[in-house]
């Protein structure tokens, strides 16, 4: 087997957590030459400059590209990412491009790959949600040739989009590999590293919903009002950099000087998992509350529409944006949570991914896509 060049594209701390184990497994196999194209939030100091965390992984080939524009609109970010990634893949000449999820960077990678006659693999397509992410995710799937999905439900949706069944591989959610890794830091190590002094705490992750931009400032202020009126301790992590994030960050300034709150632009993925695993609950609208928290038996207060239609564990509390609803939810007992250990795999995603790439069949998938009708 010839050495295959595989380019992974990462634009956020979240998608890197999903693909990290996949990069690592190719780094350890002589049949592959992995490359990592790093862009987006990773290069923004105000969000923790998480390029540093990727560089600490000591991957063989890392390339960084700033896709920032003077405007915060997603279309301009998409355009600039396409420009930079297109130039990059013409230098590397990869056999496969791997993108994850539903960010505009993933869409840029899929567009560049498909229009340059390069195989594109999409990680965790076939999911459903309640925001612009839905449109981007399905668009990425349609521009991709290979689909590594989390479960049978996602596979069914990909096939419903007209994709060839043998191009869809169920491998689970790759971050589960890391979630149950024996190399995760201890909670004492994490608290020492991030100078978190309180014993018990909840995790806060609240992202903007771009389709509700005009209401985000009000949503953010009501959220902060409810947390300030509460008496619990909170580890607060900045939102992603989508349109509306500035309003959330402005509201978060009201936490300054309050000893019940520790606020961070970003937290290393493994350290975040340890914090989540040892938290009382997670509150906000992050997919971590829908995907990772149930695996750890951690309760979730899910606010608003961002996770609409996502796979929901029966112990997730879904509420609206008002102070009253949030305050009421904060009084609930979220400690007796039944763990969910099957919905998104069992921690072998990286090996399933590697085995697929080692098969001859995967490289025979046609770059000329066709729509398969459901009969």
């Amino acid at each position: 087997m010839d050495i295959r060049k595989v380019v992974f594209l990462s634009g956020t701390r979240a998608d890197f957590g999903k693909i990290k184990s996949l990069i690592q497994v190719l780094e350890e196999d002589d049949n592959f030459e992995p490359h990592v194209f790093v862009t987006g939030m990773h290069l923004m100091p105000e969000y923790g400059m998480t390029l540093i965390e990727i560089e600490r992984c000591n991957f063989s080939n890392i390339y960084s590209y700033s896709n920032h524009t003077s405007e915060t609109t997603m279309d301009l970010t998409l355009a600039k990412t396409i420009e930079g990634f297109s130039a990059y893949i013409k230098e590397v000449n990869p056999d496969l491009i791997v993108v994850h999820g539903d960010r505009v960077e993933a869409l840029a990678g899929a567009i560049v790959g498909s229009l340059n006659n390069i195989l594109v693999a999409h990680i965790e397509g076939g999911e459903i949600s309640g925001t612009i992410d839905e449109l981007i995710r399905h668009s990425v799937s349609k521009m991709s040739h290979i689909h590594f999905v989390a479960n049978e439900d996602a596979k069914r949706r990909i096939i419903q989009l007209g994709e060839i069944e043998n191009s869809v591989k169920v491998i689970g959610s790759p971050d589960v590999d890391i979630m149950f890794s024996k190399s995760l830091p201890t909670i004492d190590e994490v608290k020492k590293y991030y100078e978190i002094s309180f014993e018990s705490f909840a995790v806060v992750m609240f992202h903007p919903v771009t389709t509700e931009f005009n209401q985000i400032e009000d949503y953010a202020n009501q959220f902060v009002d409810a947390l300030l009126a509460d008496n619990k301790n909170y580890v607060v992590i900045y939102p992603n950099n989508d349109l509306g994030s500035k309003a959330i960050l402005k509201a978060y300034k009201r936490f300054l000087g309050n000893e019940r709150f520790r606020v961070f632009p970003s937290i290393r993925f493994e350290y975040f998992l340890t914090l989540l695993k040892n938290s009382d609950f997670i509150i906000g609208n992050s997919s971590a509350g829908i995907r990772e928290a149930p695996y750890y038996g951690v309760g979730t207060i899910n606010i608003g529409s961002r996770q609409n239609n996502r796979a929901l564990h029966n112990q997730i509390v879904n509420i609206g944006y008002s102070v009253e609803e949030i305050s009421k939810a904060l009084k609930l007992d979220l400690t007796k949570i039944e763990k969910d250990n099957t919905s998104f795999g069992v921690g072998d995603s990286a090996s399933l991914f590697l085995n697929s790439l080692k098969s001859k069949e995967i490289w025979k998938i046609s770059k000329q896509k066709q729509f398969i009708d459901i009969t």
Side-chain angles (χ1 to χ4, degrees):
M1 176 178 175
D2 294 333
I3 294 177
R4 303 280 191 180
K5 290 184 180 180
V6 181
V7 169
F8 294 83
L9 187 153
S10 179
T12 73
R13 62 201 179 198
D15 69 47
F16 181 69
K18 298 282 188 176
I19 64 175
K20 181 177 179 180
S21 66
L22 308 184
I23 303 170
Q24 287 175 328
V25 77
L26 296 195
E27 282 276 348
E28 297 165 2
D29 194 294
D30 292 338
N31 293 304
F32 298 95
E33 181 184 301
H35 296 251
V36 189
F37 182 89
V38 184
T39 187
M41 287 179 67
H42 290 303
L43 276 73
M44 301 177 71
E46 60 267 40
Y47 289 94
M49 196 66 179
T50 49
L51 167 63
I52 297 171
E53 304 302 333
I54 298 177
E55 291 174 338
R56 285 176 176 168
C57 295
N58 294 318
F59 295 137
S60 301
N61 304 289
I62 299 173
Y63 178 86
S64 61
Y65 171 78
S66 175
N67 65 354
H68 308 156
T69 66
S70 57
E71 301 293 331
T72 57
T73 55
M74 299 169 76
D75 54 347
L76 292 179
T77 300
L78 173 65
K80 189 168 183 182
T81 309
I82 289 174
E83 181 181 20
F85 192 61
S86 178
Y88 172 75
I89 63 101
K90 287 177 174 62
E91 291 184 10
V92 175
N93 192 27
D95 299 289
L96 177 69
I97 292 169
V98 180
V99 298
H100 173 273
D102 49 31
R103 304 288 297 180
V104 292
E105 289 86 359
L107 181 56
I111 289 172
V112 169
S114 59
L115 297 185
N116 282 277
N117 207 32
I118 300 169
L119 282 175
V120 178
H122 185 202
I123 309 296
E124 290 196 315
E127 306 286 337
I128 51 178
S129 58
T131 67
I132 191 69
D133 298 349
E134 176 107 346
L135 302 180
I136 296 175
R137 188 184 307 110
H138 297 329
S139 297
V140 173
S141 291
K142 292 306 298 179
M143 300 294 288
S144 301
H145 309 92
I146 307 166
H147 310 274
F148 292 105
V149 300
N151 50 39
E152 291 294 334
D153 286 340
K155 177 179 179 178
R156 173 178 51 80
R157 296 189 193 104
I158 291 291
I159 293 172
Q160 188 176 342
L161 287 173
E163 297 299 291
I164 300 171
E165 185 170 359
N166 68 6
S167 73
V168 189
K169 311 296 181 183
V170 178
I171 66 169
S173 185
D175 61 334
V176 177
D177 294 15
I178 301 176
M179 286 180 68
F180 296 100
S181 167
K182 295 180 181 179
S183 62
L184 286 183
T186 66
I187 187 60
D188 289 338
E189 290 173 325
V190 175
K191 285 184 174 181
K192 181 179 179 180
Y193 186 86
Y194 286 103
E195 298 179 352
I196 298 171
S197 59
F198 28 74
E199 182 65 26
S200 62
F201 60 91
V203 173
V204 173
M205 295 185 74
F206 188 70
H207 300 294
V209 178
T210 57
T211 51
E212 300 173 4
F213 173 72
N214 292 332
Q215 293 82 40
I216 291 174
E217 183 175 358
D218 178 56
Y219 293 164
N221 283 320
Q222 293 211 53
F223 184 46
V224 170
D225 285 343
L227 295 183
L228 288 172
D230 188 43
N231 60 4
K232 301 177 183 65
N233 303 314
Y234 293 96
V235 174
V236 182
I237 303 170
Y238 273 19
N240 61 36
N241 64 331
D242 283 342
L243 184 66
S245 60
K246 290 182 179 178
I248 297 174
L249 295 179
K250 180 180 178 181
Y252 281 179
K253 289 182 179 179
R254 295 163 56 198
F255 294 142
L256 293 175
N258 190 316
E259 62 182 14
R260 292 193 299 109
F261 295 86
R262 290 285 288 131
V263 183
F264 301 96
S266 182
I267 288 181
R268 296 171 66 178
F269 186 62
E270 287 85 352
Y271 284 55
F272 166 73
L273 291 176
T274 295
L275 282 172
L276 179 63
K277 183 178 181 179
N278 290 275
S279 67
D280 294 333
F281 59 91
I282 178 172
I283 183 169
N285 59 8
S286 170
S287 61
I290 308 300
R291 305 292 290 267
E292 286 85 355
Y295 265 72
Y296 283 145
V298 172
T300 297
I301 299 175
N302 180 55
I303 300 173
S305 63
R306 188 170 186 264
Q307 300 300 334
N308 279 2
N309 302 317
R310 298 302 292 267
L312 298 178
H313 191 262
N314 59 13
Q315 298 290 350
I316 294 170
V317 179
N318 296 293
I319 60 172
Y321 293 104
S322 70
V323 172
E324 292 75 19
E325 286 189 77
I326 298 170
S327 297
K328 182 179 179 181
L330 288 171
K331 293 180 173 63
L332 298 174
D333 181 5
L334 297 171
T335 59
K336 299 177 181 179
I337 303 298
E338 179 184 352
K339 291 185 179 181
D340 175 6
N341 293 323
T342 59
S343 295
F344 301 104
V346 294
D348 59 352
S349 296
S351 60
L352 292 172
F353 175 75
L354 177 62
N355 289 339
S356 290
L357 294 193
K358 281 190 169 183
S359 70
K360 295 180 180 179
E361 289 72 22
I362 204 86
W363 301 100
K364 293 178 182 178
I365 291 176
S366 176
K367 296 166 190 166
Q368 177 61 57
K369 294 191 63 171
Q370 55 182 305
F371 191 97
I372 306 300
D373 283 312
I374 296 177
T375 57

